[in-house]
Amino acid sequence: MEGVEERVEEMREVFRSGKTKSEKWRRSQLMGLQAMVQQEEKTIFEVLQKDLGKHPVESFRDEVGLVIKSINLALSSLKDWMNPKSVKIPLFALPASSSLVPEPLGNVLLFSSWNFPIVLALEPMIGAIAAGNTVALKPSELAPASTQFLADVIPRYLDGCAVKVFVGGAAMGSQLLELAWDKIFFTGSPRVARLVMVAAAKHLTPVILELGGKCPAIFDKLSSSQQEIAARRLVAGKWGPCCGQACIGVDYVLVERRFAQNLIELLRKTVSTMYEDSRNLARVVNQEHFIRLKSLLKDPAVYSSVVFGGGVDNDAMTIEPTILLDPPLDSAIMNEEIFGPLLPIITVENIQDSITFINDRPKPLAIYVFTNDETLRQQVLGGTSSGSVTFNDTMVQFALDTLPFGGVGSSGFGRYHGKFSFDAFTHEKAVMRRHLLLDLPQRYPPWSNLKLDFLRSVYNYDYISLILFTLGLKR
Ligand code: NAD
């Protein structure tokens, strides 16, 4: 594609000029982003409606509102984040001082996904700008209205020489990956993540991979009033975020067999209340994903496990909120990330068996546990590995600036949100300031056993011996 290299070279020149390092520049860009999201809110609602059928309230909750919150935090914390942080130094290194000095990495490349096309593009951008980098954003071609919106408005509100949007599909992504970057931040599928890592290896570029997987929810015994709240949160965590097309959305539920019917009834009632008006449910992104989701139901053994919903409208490209009870564990629906409005319920004899079930599969991005049982909580925390664990709710962990967001194992690596976003795009330079005073001869040759003893006391933090050596009282 023409002009890509020239545009990237322009970013590099801007970074080399030092312009993006000043607090003033960073602040002005964050304020530009803030103005953009606030003034263009209506257009954002429109493009999200067009790309994904999201209700404006859902768009505010999951995209606009989150971005505003994160910009506010970055603006109020910027000075503190940018300040060098003093660190302790051991007695033997005195007189000296040492600190961690944050410096921007340089030119960073962000890939974002289509399911939350605004927040997944802007949230890492906030961190990259706050850290003083130039930013190339490659949004997903599968949310074309949102991508075009970002490409149109970002140059109007931000410094277009330093923050650029590259519109296109896989070909554009590949072309960008051929170039040298100082960091690549990728949100998307494991398949493309592997291509990203191979390309990054060529230039030894560090990467952050925000991937997905199958996020389980464990549903333990609860009182009836608690069950209603838990069901609402479960339904909101399955169908609420973009019609189930969310990396941290609930993929499947684990429940003791004896409670399964009760859970199905609760979910059925809750889904009917929340999504009676279909405008409250976003839609499947495109024909390809619609066909993929339909194919998950095609297997007769899977289809016969449907206990609620299952209706498909080919013309409207919609699939009803669907619940399946114990579909075969070797079926595609139990082995691929569902990313759509289908919810398998898997029964276990004993709720503790959920832990083995989870551990037999790739490490999830999120685990949700509805329980009052502290023992179960500790068993999940100590006995499983995942990007996050949330007790008695779903999804809300994404909105906390104080918790890092990221995966582990096949759900990705690296993390962001809040100060973690700033850190993701920052190199903390180790700085030590020594004085030209007090030079101990024991650190230099010619060597002797005495010097060896002295060095032993240094590395053993044996300060008494050290002082005695220094005063010549120990030989
Ligand atoms: P994807 O990997 O297909 O696309 C991600 C980005 O990579 C897009 O910008 C796309 O244009 C680009 N791309 C695609 N093919 C490419 C290629 N050959 N070379 C270079 N670039 C290429 O993923 P997707 O369909 O957008 O997203 C779905 C996946 O993302 C799911 O697995 C989901 O769990 C995950 N996801 C994770 C998070 C998270 O924050 N952890 C958020 C949303 C989605």
Side-chain angles (χ1 to χ4, degrees):
M1 256 143 279
E2 269 182 41
V4 171
E5 276 191 48
E6 288 76 6
R7 293 178 72 202
V8 174
E9 188 47 39
E10 188 187 2
M11 289 170 54
R12 291 198 188 113
E13 269 169 35
V14 174
F15 185 74
R16 277 194 291 266
S17 76
K19 178 186 180 187
T20 65
K21 291 185 181 175
S22 73
E23 186 190 337
K24 192 172 160 220
W25 183 87
R26 303 183 199 199
R27 204 169 278 286
S28 71
Q29 298 310 294
L30 290 170
M31 287 167 76
L33 216 46
Q34 188 180 48
M36 180 183 108
V37 177
Q38 283 169 345
Q39 289 168 25
E40 305 289 338
E41 182 180 277
K42 198 164 156 272
T43 319
I44 297 177
F45 290 166
E46 280 164 14
V47 295
L48 290 171
Q49 173 70 44
K50 207 165 173 187
D51 283 333
L52 295 151
K54 287 193 189 184
H55 191 284
V57 180
E58 185 180 326
S59 293
F60 186 84
R61 184 195 62 183
D62 296 350
E63 309 233 27
V64 174
L66 287 177
V67 171
I68 291 173
K69 169 198 69 60
S70 298
I71 297 171
N72 288 342
L73 178 80
L75 280 169
S76 63
S77 316
L78 189 62
K79 217 177 186 54
D80 176 43
W81 291 351
M82 288 178 67
N83 273 341
K85 308 281 178 297
S86 292
V87 294
K88 278 198 210 158
I89 49 169
L91 197 61
F92 68 75
L94 290 173
S97 65
S98 53
S99 55
L100 300 173
V101 177
E103 65 175 23
L105 294 173
N107 307 292
V108 304
L109 172 60
L110 314 179
F111 280 91
S112 53
S113 181
W114 49 265
N115 53 344
F116 295 86
I118 302 298
V119 75
L120 295 178
L122 300 187
E123 190 77 40
M125 186 183 282
I126 294 166
I129 288 174
N133 299 276
T134 64
V135 184
L137 169 68
K138 178 19 214 110
S140 171
E141 68 283 14
L142 301 192
S146 307
T147 291
Q148 198 53 52
F149 163 79
L150 292 169
D152 291 343
V153 298
I154 283 181
R156 294 214 319 261
Y157 287 87
L158 303 187
D159 176 351
C161 304
V163 182
K164 293 183 189 289
V165 181
F166 293 82
V167 177
M172 172 60 83
S174 307
Q175 193 176 353
L176 288 166
L177 284 175
E178 277 168 26
L179 307 174
W181 299 95
D182 295 295
K183 186 134 195 183
I184 302 174
F185 182 102
F186 174 82
T187 301
S189 64
R191 182 187 68 80
V192 182
R194 289 189 180 91
L195 303 176
V196 170
M197 281 192 80
V198 170
K202 199 167 135 201
H203 301 285
L204 291 181
T205 303
V207 297
I208 287 183
L209 301 180
E210 295 286 342
L211 312 179
K214 291 178 87 63
C215 301
I218 299 174
F219 203 92
D220 193 17
K221 185 166 182 265
L222 299 169
S223 72
S224 19
S225 62
Q226 288 174 336
Q227 279 177 18
E228 279 184 27
I229 296 175
R232 276 204 293 277
R233 293 178 181 181
L234 197 54
V235 168
K238 176 66 203 181
W239 292 279
C242 198
C243 190
Q245 302 165 113
C247 55
I248 50 168
V250 175
D251 190 281
Y252 63 94
V253 185
L254 291 154
V255 66
E256 283 188 11
R257 185 158 300 129
R258 60 193 169 130
F259 301 133
Q261 283 311 326
N262 179 45
L263 175 62
I264 292 166
E265 190 50 29
L266 270 167
L267 295 178
R268 196 189 58 73
K269 269 197 218 149
T270 314
V271 169
S272 307
T273 313
M274 283 193 195
Y275 301 112
E276 191 188 4
D277 179 347
S278 63
R279 285 173 303 180
N280 291 320
L281 190 64
R283 64 169 169 75
V284 175
V285 63
N286 60 20
Q287 183 75 12
E288 195 187 326
H289 278 274
F290 179 64
I291 292 170
R292 179 186 63 78
L293 286 163
K294 277 201 307 180
S295 77
L296 292 180
L297 291 176
K298 218 170 173 182
D299 176 349
V302 171
Y303 196 73
S304 64
S305 71
V306 170
V307 289
F308 176 67
V312 169
D313 182 334
N314 286 320
D315 297 330
M317 230 172 61
T318 54
I319 300 177
E320 284 178 339
T322 297
I323 300 173
L324 305 97
L325 182 62
D326 283 325
L329 294 182
D330 59 356
S331 59
I333 200 167
M334 284 314 298
N335 290 282
E336 289 169 17
E337 183 181 20
I338 297 173
F339 230 57
L342 317 174
L343 179 68
I345 293 179
I346 303 298
T347 58
V348 286
E349 224 36 72
N350 190 307
I351 202 69
Q352 273 78 16
D353 300 340
S354 308
I355 293 170
T356 318
F357 190 93
I358 292 169
N359 287 338
D360 284 345
R361 288 161 177 77
K363 294 181 180 181
L365 187 55
I367 296 177
Y368 302 108
V369 191
F370 290 90
T371 187
N372 290 316
D373 181 357
E374 186 52 30
T375 308
L376 180 63
R377 283 191 198 119
Q378 290 309 324
Q379 284 167 335
V380 172
L381 282 181
T384 63
S385 179
S386 58
S388 65
V389 177
T390 302
F391 293 106
N392 294 334
D393 211 334
T394 59
M395 305 293 293
V396 285
Q397 77 276 14
F398 190 87
L400 266 61
D401 296 317
T402 43
L403 284 181
F405 182 74
V408 59
S410 60
S411 53
F413 55 80
R415 52 196 203 164
Y416 74 128
H417 283 198
K419 167 76 161 41
F420 303 100
S421 293
F422 178 86
D423 294 341
F425 297 102
T426 294
H427 167 60
E428 280 193 319
K429 190 150 57 186
V431 176
M432 186 175 192
R433 290 188 177 81
R434 292 272 280 155
H435 293 266
L436 290 168
L437 294 168
L438 195 72
D439 199 32
L440 298 176
Q442 289 89 339
R443 57 184 276 206
Y444 306 115
W447 299 123
S448 66
N449 284 340
L450 183 66
K451 287 185 177 178
L452 182 60
D453 287 344
F454 173 82
L455 290 170
R456 267 191 226 291
S457 64
V458 166
Y459 290 130
N460 284 318
Y461 294 98
D462 176 0
Y463 290 121
I464 294 175
S465 298
L466 206 54
I467 291 163
L468 293 176
F469 272 121
T470 312
L471 298 175
L473 299 174
K474 189 163 178 173
R475 293 177 186 281

